[in-house]
Amino acid sequence: RTGCEGHDEL
Amino acid sequence: MNIFRLLGDLSHLLAVIILLLKIWKTRSCAGISGRSQILFAAVYTARYLDLVTSYISAYNTVMKIVFLVASYGTLYLMFLKFKATYDHNHDTFRIEFLVLPCVILALLINHDFSALEILWTFSIYLESVAILPQLFMVSKTGEAESITSHYLFALGTYRGLYLFNWIYRYYAEDHYDLIAIIAGIVQTVLYCDFFYLYITKVLKGKKLQLPA
């Protein structure tokens, strides 16, 4: 899983 | 959520609170770069537009709102309420030299050529260099108040802890985001010189003063 699949960090 | 990420976020939160309290308690924003604060407001705005499009967790939502409100609150205190104390003579870093390359880089190197994704990427690139006007201001005046040093230390530590979070996630979750990682490394490296001065001077009770 890399990058663009939903940014779940701040 | 792992311990590095949580400590990183808490460090980030601490930095933002230290800055607001410093300005509020001393009724002054002397020594603080308004240009860096403008860049941070742009960073949060560009990154947290996803507040309206995607829900991650209550934690994420609350933190995003806190960072947005704190950032615009800081701008309000600096440029309106305590405007007279703003040290603009020493805050002269040309921010277009940071913003324009970040815009171009975000358009060229991104995960997906869509508006929200490019804004996210732009915010990651811009965050990595947004502290430069502040560091430039400290180097120009040759010193920083202790409270400003604590702010910078907490703010620098935050992305450093995120690097450990990304190492952990790479092994534990098979997750990695090269854009965030490389920008995070750049961001942390920019603080190294300051970290050294902070540890060797401020922690020993001395004022942060640059060698003449």
Side-chain angles (χ1 to χ4, degrees):
Chain A
R1 206 159 70 83
T2 63
C4 198
E5 294 158 43
H7 302 294
D8 59 356
E9 292 174 343
L10 296 168
Chain B
M1 174 70 82
N2 57 67
I3 188 70
F4 304 112
R5 160 89 197 276
L6 181 65
L7 288 176
D9 286 347
L10 290 179
S11 181
H12 192 185
L13 192 62
L14 181 69
V16 165
I17 292 171
I18 289 174
L19 181 63
L20 277 173
L21 277 181
K22 173 217 141 60
I23 298 175
W24 187 255
K25 292 277 180 190
T26 62
R27 324 293 289 170
S28 161
C29 55
I32 302 299
S33 165
R35 294 178 184 231
S36 275
Q37 295 309 316
I38 290 170
L39 295 182
F40 282 121
V43 165
Y44 299 129
T45 308
R47 190 173 313 166
Y48 298 157
L49 283 173
D50 68 357
L51 263 176
V52 285
T53 60
S54 67
Y55 176 82
I56 309 286
S57 66
Y59 172 85
N60 265 46
T61 302
V62 170
M63 291 294 255
K64 284 173 179 176
I65 293 170
V66 168
F67 286 129
L68 277 169
V69 170
S71 160
Y72 282 96
T74 305
L75 288 186
Y76 164 75
L77 293 181
M78 289 196 77
F79 291 104
L80 293 167
K81 193 163 176 70
F82 303 124
K83 190 182 177 197
T85 64
Y86 171 46
D87 193 5
H88 58 82
N89 289 334
H90 289 121
D91 193 16
T92 52
F93 197 98
R94 298 280 297 270
I95 55 176
E96 58 271 36
F97 292 148
L98 299 178
V99 175
L100 288 177
C102 288
V103 170
I104 293 166
L105 207 57
L107 289 169
L108 294 176
I109 305 174
N110 53 58
H111 293 305
D112 179 34
F113 203 82
S114 68
L116 265 186
E117 189 59 25
I118 287 168
L119 281 167
W120 178 87
T121 313
F122 165 71
S123 84
I124 292 288
Y125 294 149
L126 187 62
E127 182 187 348
S128 70
V129 293
I131 201 60
L132 285 176
Q134 178 65 60
L135 295 176
F136 179 71
M137 194 171 177
V138 171
S139 75
K140 212 172 174 195
T141 57
E143 59 179 40
E145 287 177 61
S146 295
I147 189 74
T148 307
S149 306
H150 299 324
Y151 161 69
L152 280 169
F153 185 75
L155 195 62
T157 303
Y158 135 69
R159 218 54 176 173
L161 285 163
Y162 258 72
L163 294 180
F164 289 100
N165 156 53
W166 291 324
I167 293 169
Y168 174 89
R169 291 191 72 179
Y170 177 75
Y171 289 106
E173 302 167 23
D174 208 23
H175 167 94
Y176 69 99
D177 183 333
L178 272 181
I179 288 178
I181 291 170
I182 292 169
I185 292 171
V186 169
Q187 185 167 342
T188 306
V189 165
L190 292 182
Y191 285 86
C192 283
D193 186 41
F194 167 80
F195 284 153
Y196 174 76
L197 289 171
Y198 184 83
I199 290 163
T200 56
K201 295 203 169 168
V202 182
L203 288 186
K204 290 179 181 154
K206 286 182 258 177
K207 193 175 174 157
L208 190 128
Q209 238 163 349
L210 300 183

